[in-house]
Amino acid sequence: MRIPTAVLAIAMMCLGPVAAKEKPAPVYELQATGTIEIGPDGQVADYHLDKGQPAAIENALGRNIAQWRFEPIVMDGKPVIAKTRMRLSLEALPTPGEDYQLRVSGVSFGEPTRDRHHVAPPRYPEGLARAGIGAKAVLVLKLNADGSVQQVHAQQVSLSQNSGTDSQADRWRDVFAKASVAAARKWKFDISETVAGAPIGTTIKVPVEYFLNGSAARTKEPGANEWRRYIPGPVIRAPWLDAAPIADHDADQLKDGEVRSLASRFKLRDEVVGRLL
């Protein structure tokens, strides 16, 4: 879908104005979310985009989504109806004619939502808070069909600063990992993926950030314009995941409070990432 610059500028005001004659031209990005249902034949039976998208974007997405084809989802040897949440990342790329071309840059399925009453953040380890040490812990959680947490694994813990020794860094990461895992065991999520009308368990990735704001230690997202510095820790795969590649997509760029599914049953037959709208 090729959109004149003026039309795109109006439709994407939430992303900022288009700078006329700026070289190089800016590239715009946004994310769209919604739900999708497929029939036993793998064709899209229904879909719904969440409110808030500009009409030009919603119309372009709708035409594209309707053409998607999935591998049929089978239960007890029989293809069934299935429904899930979807998240799409979009880019608006400049063209030589000063128009913009919309492209799908990422897609994921099966993202559950946090139950607001059952997602208490971890307690910031007091000793590390006093020492001014922050961290980002990336957790992998195995969820039951009711959204409760069955297993938790700290996949990676990255520190806000270097330590004097590798053993000291290991101890700090271990403290943050234990605090994160202890809190996550009590969490509960609203499962979004259903097969034949019944919710199914999944595996998800969730980040937790520990950061200092002046003298206060917090475990919630700082301001959107606030930079955070981390020294990446080693990545350790969750023991219950097999060696096959998992649908990770852009999960490494998750912000605190966001969730990505690693085990959705929705599998596209054709690649849609990179497709023009």
Side-chain angles (χ1 to χ4, degrees):
M1 175 186 182
R2 183 163 291 177
I3 303 177
T5 301
V7 175
L8 186 68
I10 295 173
M12 303 180 70
M13 288 182 65
C14 60
L15 298 176
V18 176
K21 299 182 180 179
E22 181 179 344
K23 301 298 182 181
V27 173
Y28 291 91
E29 298 178 344
L30 65 78
Q31 290 196 344
T33 57
T35 58
I36 188 168
E37 180 179 301
I38 63 173
D41 57 359
Q43 296 192 47
V44 176
D46 193 17
Y47 71 90
H48 173 74
L49 293 172
D50 295 336
K51 293 181 179 180
Q53 298 300 329
I57 307 300
E58 186 170 340
N59 292 338
L61 275 176
R63 290 191 295 270
N64 192 272
I65 292 171
Q67 300 174 13
W68 290 358
R69 298 293 181 268
F70 293 82
E71 296 294 337
I73 295 177
V74 178
M75 177 173 283
D76 298 327
K78 181 180 178 181
V80 295
I81 296 172
K83 185 177 182 180
T84 193
R85 290 283 296 171
M86 61 179 173
R87 177 180 294 272
L88 297 97
S89 300
L90 305 176
E91 291 180 333
L93 306 174
T95 69
E98 296 187 356
D99 293 339
Y100 275 79
Q101 191 85 49
L102 289 177
R103 183 178 71 180
V104 178
S105 58
V107 60
S108 61
F109 302 102
E111 177 181 316
T113 56
R114 296 193 184 202
D115 185 325
R116 292 184 300 171
H117 302 292
H118 298 89
V119 287
R123 295 187 61 182
Y124 205 123
E126 292 184 6
L128 297 181
R130 288 195 300 269
I133 301 167
K136 179 178 181 180
V138 179
L139 305 178
V140 176
L141 280 59
K142 187 174 184 179
L143 304 182
N144 294 312
D146 64 357
S148 61
V149 176
Q150 181 180 3
Q151 297 186 65
V152 188
H153 172 74
Q155 175 179 283
Q156 183 182 36
V157 178
S158 301
L159 301 172
S160 64
Q161 63 187 63
N162 285 310
S163 66
T165 64
D166 290 343
S167 60
Q168 179 66 72
D170 288 342
R171 287 193 292 272
W172 289 350
R173 286 193 292 263
D174 186 59
V175 171
F176 281 118
K178 288 180 177 178
S180 303
V181 168
R185 291 189 189 280
K186 303 174 184 178
W187 291 350
K188 192 170 184 180
F189 295 79
D190 293 324
I191 297 294
S192 71
E193 194 153 296
T194 61
V195 174
I200 58 173
T202 188
T203 294
I204 62 173
K205 179 179 282 189
V206 184
V208 176
E209 293 191 58
Y210 300 80
F211 71 100
L212 300 170
N213 182 19
S215 60
R218 299 191 295 173
T219 53
K220 59 186 293 188
E221 174 69 7
N225 297 320
E226 191 172 331
W227 289 92
R228 294 172 301 283
R229 171 181 178 271
Y230 293 116
I231 294 90
V235 176
I236 305 171
R237 192 180 181 92
W240 67 84
L241 293 176
D242 58 30
I246 53 180
D248 208 350
H249 298 292
D250 59 341
D252 290 337
Q253 282 70 50
L254 290 181
K255 296 180 180 179
D256 187 56
E258 294 183 336
V259 179
R260 290 291 185 277
S261 173
L262 302 180
S264 173
R265 295 197 184 187
F266 278 63
K267 308 297 181 186
L268 285 159
R269 285 182 172 175
D270 301 313
E271 182 62 74
V272 300
V273 174
R275 181 179 294 182
L276 297 177
L277 301 185

